Amino acid sequence: MTEAAFTPRVFSGIQPSGNLTLGNYLGAVKRFVEMQNSGIETIYCVVDMHAITVWQDPEALRRQTRELTAAYLACGLDPKKSILFNQSQVSAHAELGWLFNCVARLGWMNRMTQFKDKAGKNAEKMSLGLYAYPSLMAADILAYKATHVPVGEDQKQHVELTRDIANKFNHDFKTNFFPEPEPIIDGAGTRVMSLRDGSKKMSKSDPSDMSRINMTDDADAIAKKIRKAKTDPEPLPDNMDGLADRPEARNLINIYAGISGQTPAEVLTEVAGQQFGQFKPLLADLAVAHLAPIADEMGRLMADPAEIDRILGDGANRAAEIAEPILADAYDIVGMIRSR
Ligand code: TYM
């Protein structure tokens, strides 16, 4: 089926499950803003129902939901241009998620690397929700018939599963109802690595706070984390091949490029030959200049939680207007009687 039959529409989401990191920012939010400003229709969600697939303290979940919304706004998402809302306020996500639980196959879920990573040796003790999570993610996207999904590298497999679910639904019910959405994974920041270990993803759940930059870190914390970031003793090379076996060096160059909007190769032409003692202060200055105003604006927005809740409620109304007719058609296709 060709995508051309569907109106272009962007959907993406982030879990309110802890600190927003520089990885979330470069891999997702910064690109959400670019897509919003390119004029395409954009819908961005705070996926609170995904967050509860692992334990969340209720008060902390409320705070983190508002904080992530504040981050969306502080980074440049505009509720007049994009639909911004939290997932649980639009019941179509859960309802379509159930239909998809009955379309997706157990074998597909068993192949999801993120479940294996999160569950480790404790799979038996994980929630059923964590296992079924990719099916809810497919519902998030397809409740809007979204065609483009900006995500970081680690979500690629889930978007591919969404395509499989759309395809199987269309095939089983002999229809052309759902699009097969494209993951949009581009730019230098789609896989930001830990500052302590260049082979591990920067993550909000890493036990070491020194491994990540949080969007709420102040200038001193950002500078300290970059100063202490793991590196190697070699000077920076003048081309990308020279970074092939140097994951930590490559990560810092990618971060610089992601923040400055250059390509990593362009950054290298400026900093070739420098030792990390020279390069790290440059990176710290760039990061602080870019991130400190965002943290300040988040603080200002968090002082008025009622306004944040109002924005989420308004976004949820607009989201529901799109999703409910799509859900109703999906129920009809499946054969459910809808008589009230
Ligand atoms: P989540 O909340 O783990 O991450 C949100 C977004 O940030 C990206 N990301 C990164 N990008 C680059 N480097 C990193 N170190 C890094 N860490 C995280 C993620 O790829 C993601 O784009 N399942 C999703 C949330 C979700 C969703 C959706 C996304 C639920 N429904 C529908 C798109 C469409 C998740 O857990 O992302």
Side-chain angles (χ1 to χ4, degrees):
M1 182 184 38
T2 61
E3 190 186 294
F6 295 92
T7 315
R9 181 179 276 158
V10 171
F11 181 94
S12 197
I14 298 183
Q15 296 196 50
S17 54
N19 286 318
L20 196 70
T21 69
L22 182 65
N24 298 130
Y25 176 66
L26 295 178
V29 189
K30 190 163 184 275
R31 298 165 57 237
F32 295 179
V33 177
E34 288 161 10
M35 293 188 101
Q36 163 191 274
N37 295 340
S38 76
I40 186 170
E41 184 181 4
T42 43
I43 305 175
Y44 298 122
C45 189
V46 176
V47 290
D48 47 8
M49 305 222 300
H50 281 273
I52 61 165
T53 55
V54 297
W55 168 251
Q56 302 292 333
D57 172 75
E59 257 329 299
L61 180 62
R62 262 187 282 277
R63 192 188 63 249
Q64 287 159 194
T65 300
R66 293 187 180 119
E67 212 164 71
L68 179 52
T69 311
Y72 276 179
L73 298 168
C75 291
L77 291 182
D78 176 350
K80 291 196 200 71
K81 294 187 187 160
S82 293
I83 296 181
L84 308 178
F85 71 108
N86 59 314
Q87 187 185 22
S88 60
Q89 294 209 70
V90 180
S91 61
H93 293 244
E95 293 182 61
L96 190 60
W98 181 258
L99 296 190
F100 289 166
N101 281 344
C102 302
V103 172
R105 306 289 96 182
L106 279 183
W108 300 0
M109 297 295 155
N110 288 336
R111 284 197 288 277
M112 294 296 111
T113 54
Q114 195 162 68
F115 178 79
K116 290 185 209 165
D117 290 347
K118 282 198 178 176
K121 293 193 176 68
N122 282 325
E124 295 282 314
K125 295 213 168 72
M126 293 295 128
S127 72
L128 183 56
L130 187 69
Y131 189 67
Y133 165 123
S135 163
L136 180 60
M137 179 159 159
D140 299 337
I141 298 167
L142 295 174
Y144 303 91
K145 295 193 177 180
T147 53
H148 296 84
V149 186
V151 282
E153 189 63 51
D154 63 333
Q155 293 299 319
K156 185 168 184 226
Q157 195 185 32
H158 290 160
V159 183
E160 282 166 356
L161 184 95
T162 301
R163 294 169 64 88
D164 291 341
I165 290 177
N167 187 276
K168 182 160 163 52
F169 182 98
N170 288 343
H171 182 266
D172 287 354
F173 296 102
K174 299 185 180 46
T175 169
N176 216 14
F177 187 65
F178 286 119
E180 287 180 41
E182 291 285 338
I184 307 292
I185 303 171
D186 52 24
T190 55
R191 190 161 174 79
V192 178
M193 308 309 279
S194 158
L195 298 178
R196 308 300 299 161
D197 177 350
S199 68
K200 266 174 52 186
K201 186 183 78 158
M202 182 181 284
S203 159
K204 48 192 154 197
S205 56
D206 192 311
S208 164
D209 195 56
M210 291 301 283
S211 70
R212 63 179 160 263
I213 293 173
N214 305 303
M215 295 304 285
T216 46
D217 282 347
D218 62 20
D220 286 349
I222 295 173
K224 182 172 167 209
K225 288 175 179 180
I226 292 177
R227 199 168 56 243
K228 299 218 158 186
K230 186 175 169 203
T231 46
D232 57 44
E234 301 300 318
L236 285 161
D238 61 7
N239 63 62
M240 295 302 289
D241 290 345
L243 291 177
D245 299 320
R246 299 173 63 188
E248 283 84 15
R250 189 170 61 238
N251 189 37
L252 294 188
I253 293 293
N254 275 340
I255 291 176
Y256 193 103
I259 298 177
S260 68
Q262 294 165 288
T263 64
E266 281 165 353
V267 176
L268 283 181
T269 60
E270 287 173 15
V271 301
Q274 288 188 10
Q275 297 287 344
F276 284 101
Q278 273 175 288
F279 176 68
K280 280 180 168 179
L282 286 184
L283 176 58
D285 286 350
L286 177 77
V288 167
H290 197 87
L291 302 179
I294 296 177
D296 287 351
E297 179 63 3
M298 279 175 69
R300 196 186 67 75
L301 292 163
M302 283 298 283
D304 189 356
E307 174 59 8
I308 293 182
D309 294 2
R310 191 197 62 74
I311 290 171
L312 290 173
D314 180 59
N317 284 334
R318 288 158 60 207
E321 261 172 47
I322 302 174
E324 276 167 11
I326 293 175
L327 175 70
D329 286 348
Y331 274 138
D332 186 50
I333 290 169
V334 169
M336 306 293 194
I337 290 174
R338 317 273 291 161
S339 56
R340 67 179 178 96

